[in-house]
Amino acid sequence: MSVNNQTDFTFKSLDPAGLVPSPGEKETAAGLEKLRTVCQGQECYAESLGWHRTSEWSGEEWLSRYEELAARIRADADAFVVVGIGGSNQAARAVVEALEPVEGAPEIVWAGNSLSPHSINGVIEHLRGKKSVYIDVIAKNFETLEPGAAFRALRTFLRDTYGEGWQKRVVTTGTIGSHFEDISKEHGFTFIPFPSDVGGRFTALTPVGLLPLAVAGFDIRALARGAADMEAALKGDMTAENPALRYALQRNAAYKAGYRMEMLSFFEPRFFRFSKWWVQLFGESEGKDGLGLYPVAGSFSEDLHSIGQFLQDGTRCIMETFIDVKEQDSSLVLRADEVDDRFGYLDGMDYHQMNKAAFTATVDAHSRVMPCNVIEVEKLGEYAFGKLFYFFMFSCYLSGLILGVNPFDQPGVEAYKQGMFKILGK
Ligand code: PA5
């Protein structure tokens, strides 16, 4: 039975030219079998599936704990620094940079996501102008260089700025039983668990993503509800209409047909950080064993003026997934004036209308030359982000299973790390 009558989230595949064969009976049956497997969760990935049941880390008990801690921080802080890299900061940043800041909430500042001295100096300089700074150091494996180095630099800043008692300004999000927990206890930092059974890029709905969002004043309950509703919709739909199954089958069919990249495209620049989260999710989960679609982002209409030519007319290696938002949440109407600029057709037109025209025309033009999908969400808000996070994580697991890779490891990133640690004398 299909429960995918979600009206606030729709998934559509467009391939009018039949560039990628639609799944036949055999592929659909095999896909449905994999969907059942993913819904149950495989025993071999039990150590990585803590995100799979939303009730686990974004259920009532945990939400209250995030809210309580966030309220304490908000009562005293005017800046909250999220120190983390990759999966340890992308999800929270995706939401913070997409939604309007909540009045009275501390500014969220990002650190520990590069090794640029210019960046960390810029962060510290910025913090000097604040009255009360708190930090959250997020690291599953507290050996990652970027957050480790930034934590040192920020400890110096906190000690020098606030003197005795600076430790109360430090939250650490780490693995239970780790050295990180030990030093947190020893020095009086507030320690919260980084789920040991959730990899960084799957942590949007855990303390990693939700505590910073609660500090920023966002409605984490709406986000959790969106994720839970998507979980119910995907796990309750064992039909070929399941949108995660359609998406996973389509991207695998495109891969088989020779496509090598997937672009996540959007006409709302506020999705930029979300696209970085998505790029990491699919890049680290599927790009292994010499396989996988290379994920890239397209921020339109700007990027249409740089890569639009290639997309329409270049090497046929790209498929595209658009995200569109139905509700208009901002408006600017262009008025006619005395300047004959030859843009008269815009008189009285809203920017929203121009943006939608660009979207419609682009989807039409691109879908004639590459396989496309369109995901439409009702409105840009916490609830929609909850749905998007869960939809893509679930689809990624399913797609990786169809591709034949382990979606939860990332052995490839060790190669450069070993070389770097050797140079640094670790
Ligand atoms: O998804 C992943 O596992 C990675 O991107 C990690 O999140 C990233 O490398 C940061 O790791 P850690 O939290 O251990 O510092």
Side-chain angles (χ1 to χ4, degrees):
M1 193 191 55
S2 166
V3 294
N4 271 299
N5 50 1
Q6 307 177 78
T7 51
D8 55 356
F9 180 100
T10 58
F11 175 87
K12 223 170 31 193
S13 278
L14 302 166
D15 182 11
L19 301 165
V20 171
S22 316
E25 243 173 66
K26 218 172 105 202
E27 286 91 358
T28 305
L32 282 167
E33 193 48 50
K34 295 225 158 47
L35 173 64
R36 272 188 282 277
T37 304
V38 163
C39 285
Q40 277 158 14
Q42 292 157 282
E43 201 44 49
C44 59
Y45 297 139
E47 298 298 294
S48 308
L49 288 175
W51 58 273
H52 192 255
R53 272 189 315 278
T54 53
S55 56
E56 215 151 296
W57 289 97
S58 51
E60 177 53 41
E61 198 190 321
W62 278 109
L63 288 175
S64 300
R65 286 177 68 176
Y66 310 144
E67 283 168 344
E68 270 164 38
L69 177 54
R72 269 201 281 135
I73 295 167
R74 287 172 57 155
D76 189 36
D78 64 345
F80 184 69
V81 188
V82 177
V83 182
I85 195 163
S88 290
N89 88 352
Q90 307 257 45
R93 196 166 186 179
V95 179
V96 169
E97 296 198 6
L99 303 185
E100 291 304 313
V102 175
E103 220 187 302
E107 182 193 354
I108 308 296
V109 178
W110 311 98
N113 53 342
S114 95
L115 293 172
S116 151
H118 181 265
S119 297
I120 188 73
N121 274 325
V123 168
I124 291 170
E125 229 16 77
H126 181 72
L127 296 177
R128 289 194 206 288
K130 297 287 176 184
K131 285 202 191 77
S132 178
V133 174
Y134 279 63
I135 70 174
D136 179 8
V137 185
I138 308 176
K140 181 169 188 177
N141 164 14
F142 187 55
E143 286 184 34
T144 308
L145 178 58
E146 292 87 343
F151 188 20
R152 276 198 171 203
L154 290 168
R155 286 201 304 269
T156 304
F157 165 79
L158 292 176
R159 202 181 287 114
D160 292 352
T161 308
Y162 302 105
E164 212 176 302
W166 63 272
Q167 296 89 338
K168 74 160 195 190
R169 298 174 177 277
V170 178
V171 176
T172 52
T173 306
T175 305
I176 291 181
S178 66
H179 175 64
F180 199 22
E181 183 181 16
D182 292 345
I183 59 170
S184 299
K185 287 197 172 137
E186 189 183 334
H187 295 278
F189 309 143
T190 304
F191 178 82
I192 55 169
F194 189 128
S196 56
D197 57 355
V198 186
R201 56 192 179 274
F202 289 86
T203 54
L205 305 161
T206 74
V208 175
L210 295 175
L211 177 67
L213 292 178
V215 173
F218 292 116
D219 185 351
I220 58 170
R221 284 173 190 268
L223 197 139
R225 218 171 32 249
D229 287 352
M230 181 56 80
E231 179 187 1
L234 297 180
K235 291 184 178 172
D237 183 356
M238 290 300 144
T239 74
E241 289 311 302
N242 184 305
L245 176 62
R246 286 166 58 207
Y247 180 44
L249 283 177
Q250 192 250 19
R251 54 200 311 288
N252 275 281
Y255 184 69
K256 260 197 188 159
Y259 292 87
R260 288 294 174 264
M261 295 166 85
E262 180 181 10
M263 177 172 275
L264 187 76
S265 300
F266 42 91
F267 281 76
E268 178 44 74
R270 286 176 286 172
F271 272 120
F272 175 69
R273 281 285 161 189
F274 180 80
S275 72
K276 294 201 57 111
W277 172 83
W278 175 89
V279 162
Q280 184 196 352
L281 178 69
F282 280 94
E284 270 193 349
S285 301
E286 288 197 330
K288 52 197 66 161
D289 308 332
L291 301 169
L293 287 164
Y294 182 74
V296 289
S299 183
F300 296 163
S301 61
E302 183 178 6
D303 289 345
L304 289 174
H305 294 263
S306 57
I307 45 166
Q309 167 63 35
F310 191 102
L311 292 169
Q312 196 70 44
D313 216 13
T315 315
R316 294 271 171 257
C317 60
I318 308 171
M319 61 166 283
E320 193 169 22
T321 297
F322 292 89
I323 300 194
D324 187 33
V325 183
K326 200 163 164 194
E327 187 192 85
Q328 175 176 0
D329 65 359
S330 189
S331 164
L332 193 147
V333 174
L334 291 174
R335 289 197 315 233
D337 64 11
E338 70 284 5
V339 180
D340 175 18
D341 59 4
R342 298 192 179 167
F343 280 99
Y345 62 94
L346 300 181
D347 291 355
M349 195 180 286
D350 197 306
Y351 254 83
H352 180 72
Q353 211 178 328
M354 292 191 277
N355 207 23
K356 282 289 171 202
F359 166 74
T360 305
T362 306
V363 171
D364 179 56
H366 288 188
S367 63
R368 278 187 262 130
V369 295
M370 66 175 93
C372 288
N373 302 305
V374 178
I375 291 171
E376 186 189 72
V377 294
E378 184 68 28
K379 79 185 242 169
L380 199 52
E382 292 91 333
Y383 182 78
F385 274 111
K387 282 204 154 180
L388 287 168
F389 283 137
Y390 197 87
F391 173 77
F392 281 121
M393 291 191 297
F394 185 95
S395 301
C396 184
Y397 177 13
L398 180 55
S399 181
L401 191 64
I402 295 171
L403 183 65
V405 297
N406 171 355
F408 302 113
D409 66 358
Q410 54 283 326
V413 295
E414 289 309 312
Y416 92 87
K417 279 191 193 168
Q418 293 318 318
M420 176 181 70
F421 288 142
K422 200 166 159 204
I423 296 168
L424 293 174
K426 184 181 174 189

